[in-house]
Amino acid sequence: MHILRNLRDAGLAGVLLVAMPAMATCMEVEQPNYAKQTAIAYTSQKPVRLNRNNFKSEVLESKALVMVDFYHPDCGACIEAKPYVEGYAGEYKGRMKVGTYSIEDDSAIPGHYNVEYVPTFIFYHNGKEVDRIVGFNDEGLRKKIEQALKKIK
């Protein structure tokens, strides 16, 4: 196990993203300092807030590529990813739908799709999973988005 990044330098006091081969998880040693987070510029398009009632219609029945961010509100890496995910919603508008699903609110859907660690980003097209990435890294997630968009063409 090794520490990928000490988020204290990014303004999230005491929050560490820990990575192990083939999985990532969050550890929180103290409350993050939200006031110091760097603002990410994005358009007014927001991700769709998903739950068990709208998951089928918004994700599984969608003809567009859908990226779902499975997150927990207390996860440091999830907090770091949030402004980026909101940015992707605007940046990829018309090419990809972006949704967020809190595993704190309901674990049935994440359990069904074997979401074991957060954040987990799963890409769906025509009701089927086409790709996934566990953990957050803007560059890595952007590459996955572009790969998923190419897969559905």
Side-chain angles (χ1 to χ4, degrees):
M1 181 161 55
H2 65 283
I3 296 172
L4 287 179
R5 182 175 179 194
N6 183 337
L7 296 179
R8 188 178 316 265
D9 298 336
L12 297 174
V15 179
L16 303 175
L17 173 62
V18 178
M20 295 177 280
M23 62 183 163
T25 187
C26 295
M27 286 190 328
E28 189 168 275
V29 234
E30 58 188 71
Q31 289 297 321
N33 184 345
Y34 298 102
K36 292 183 180 178
Q37 287 191 37
T38 305
I40 308 298
Y42 57 91
T43 65
S44 61
Q45 180 73 23
K46 294 282 188 178
V48 176
R49 175 93 173 148
L50 300 168
N51 57 51
R52 82 168 50 194
N53 297 322
N54 68 357
F55 192 84
K56 182 178 178 185
S57 63
E58 292 287 349
V59 177
L60 302 179
E61 293 175 353
S62 177
K63 300 297 180 199
L65 177 68
V66 183
M67 180 184 81
V68 179
D69 170 14
F70 290 95
Y71 74 97
H72 189 279
D74 294 330
C75 163
C78 301
I79 293 166
E80 181 186 12
K82 183 179 178 177
Y84 290 92
V85 171
E86 290 174 349
Y88 302 149
E91 184 178 343
Y92 291 97
K93 183 180 178 180
R95 296 174 60 206
M96 176 181 76
K97 183 189 291 187
V98 177
T100 59
Y101 197 109
S102 172
I103 64 165
E104 181 181 55
D105 296 342
D106 178 25
S107 62
I109 298 290
H112 178 77
Y113 290 100
N114 299 313
V115 174
E116 297 178 14
Y117 302 95
V118 293
T120 293
F121 301 90
I122 302 181
F123 298 86
Y124 298 88
H125 186 252
N126 290 330
K128 293 184 173 56
E129 180 178 333
V130 294
D131 213 341
R132 79 168 52 203
I133 185 169
V134 178
F136 175 72
N137 171 293
D138 181 43
E139 185 179 326
L141 186 52
R142 283 183 182 279
K143 285 180 183 175
K144 276 287 190 202
I145 290 170
E146 293 301 326
Q147 289 171 356
L149 286 167
K150 286 178 184 172
K151 281 183 183 179
I152 65 163
K153 286 189 175 186

